[in-house]
Amino acid sequence: MGAADPFTLYHAPLRSRLLLGTARYPSPAILAEAVRASACEIVTVSLRREAGGSRAGESFWGLIREIGVRVLPNTAGCRTAREAIATAQMARDVFEADWIKLEVIGEEDTLQPDVFGLIEAARALSAEGFKVFPYTTDDLVVAEKLLDAGCEVLMPWAAPIGSGRGVNNAFALRALRAHFPGVPLIVDAGLGAPSHAVAVMEMGYDAVLLNTAVSRAGDPVAMARAFGLAVEAGRLAHLAKPMTPRDMAEPSTPALGRPFGDVA
């Protein structure tokens, strides 16, 4: 499907439409197995995991290099635009990459993004040449302002981070897809089962990013593979144009030519 269904993020060609986080796995070995089983090409990594300028995270960074995937550093845990900007700048030095998953958290219980700080940080980082992947809400106005700030990709949530609830507001996600048909949209956060991934891919989303649903599964490696297959299935279903739901039944076998016809 890859060659016939091109997928690019900031002009980088990709085959897999699944992105994985790297936090809270039972062990580095299981993380590596899960990434390989999923066939994903991008993983997110927190600067805190790498321990900034120290060598404390060198073994982890070596593992990521060994797997051979692209790294998308993130600003997880940042609460202000200023903190997120500084973290992104450090991440560019540590990971030698200008891609950044931008998080500015505004509420503790739901980990909902602070959209005002997010837009501020996105504008500043885009001006510095960063390729910004903003973790945002499903709000159309916020999406428009992020695009105006220089983002070329949007990453709306489906539900709060780590909740596993699936799609909380299908109407909002469908509206985003309809309003921005040419913008790469990645559902980030809240997916808990492969069926959730199928659902958003069938809506026409370009990819999904998840972490907890895999890392906290009973068998992370098997779950990673399941999500990889689900994303592919959902994308294929979207391209195949699913049938429109009906209110009434419609026989799959036509009445004309029934074996016994009408009996008097």
Side-chain angles (χ1 to χ4, degrees):
M1 183 178 69
D5 184 31
F7 174 50
T8 61
L9 294 174
Y10 285 106
H11 309 293
L14 300 163
R15 297 181 302 277
S16 174
R17 292 171 180 268
L18 175 63
L19 294 73
L20 281 183
T22 56
R24 305 180 69 184
Y25 282 81
S27 71
I30 291 177
L31 164 61
E33 287 185 58
V35 171
R36 293 188 180 103
S38 74
C40 79
E41 297 173 273
I42 299 174
V43 298
T44 62
V45 179
S46 169
L47 180 65
R48 288 168 174 77
R49 177 176 293 278
E50 181 61 19
S54 75
R55 311 300 290 180
E58 186 62 34
S59 61
F60 178 81
W61 187 214
L63 173 66
I64 297 300
R65 284 177 170 145
E66 182 182 332
I67 296 172
V69 290
R70 181 186 287 266
V71 171
L72 175 60
N74 68 40
T75 62
C78 292
R79 296 300 194 271
T80 66
R82 181 176 180 179
E83 184 182 4
I85 292 168
T87 302
Q89 292 167 337
M90 289 188 288
R92 180 163 57 183
D93 292 338
V94 172
F95 298 108
E96 301 176 346
D98 58 4
W99 282 22
I100 192 73
K101 179 189 172 186
L102 182 61
E103 294 184 28
V104 182
I105 301 301
E107 205 280 323
E108 293 298 326
D109 291 333
T110 62
L111 298 180
Q112 179 169 323
D114 171 359
V115 296
F116 304 102
L118 183 67
I119 294 166
E120 178 186 345
R123 181 174 291 108
L125 291 172
S126 295
E128 291 186 24
F130 280 91
K131 310 298 189 295
V132 179
F133 293 69
Y135 163 60
T136 183
T137 63
D138 50 22
D139 186 282
L140 288 172
V141 176
V142 174
E144 188 68 62
K145 291 186 180 299
L146 286 168
L147 295 175
D148 290 343
C151 299
E152 296 181 16
V153 176
L154 297 174
M155 301 178 68
W157 67 351
I161 293 173
S163 68
R165 294 178 56 86
V167 178
N168 269 356
N169 192 339
F171 174 82
L173 288 183
R174 291 183 190 280
L176 272 177
R177 180 70 285 176
H179 277 73
F180 305 106
V183 176
L185 299 181
I186 302 172
V187 168
D188 176 17
L191 303 185
S195 58
H196 299 158
V198 172
V200 296
M201 294 302 293
E202 286 182 349
M203 290 181 191
Y205 275 75
D206 296 283
V208 301
L209 192 162
L210 49 92
N211 188 159
T212 309
V214 171
S215 67
R216 288 313 206 191
D219 184 341
V221 177
M223 188 60 75
R225 182 167 184 268
F227 267 104
L229 294 171
V231 167
E232 184 175 353
R235 179 63 181 175
L236 285 170
H238 171 70
L239 295 176
K241 296 180 172 37
M243 66 174 285
T244 302
R246 296 168 51 89
D247 292 330
M248 301 294 290
E250 180 181 7
S252 57
T253 302
L256 185 64
R258 284 182 296 180
F260 303 104
D262 294 324
V263 178

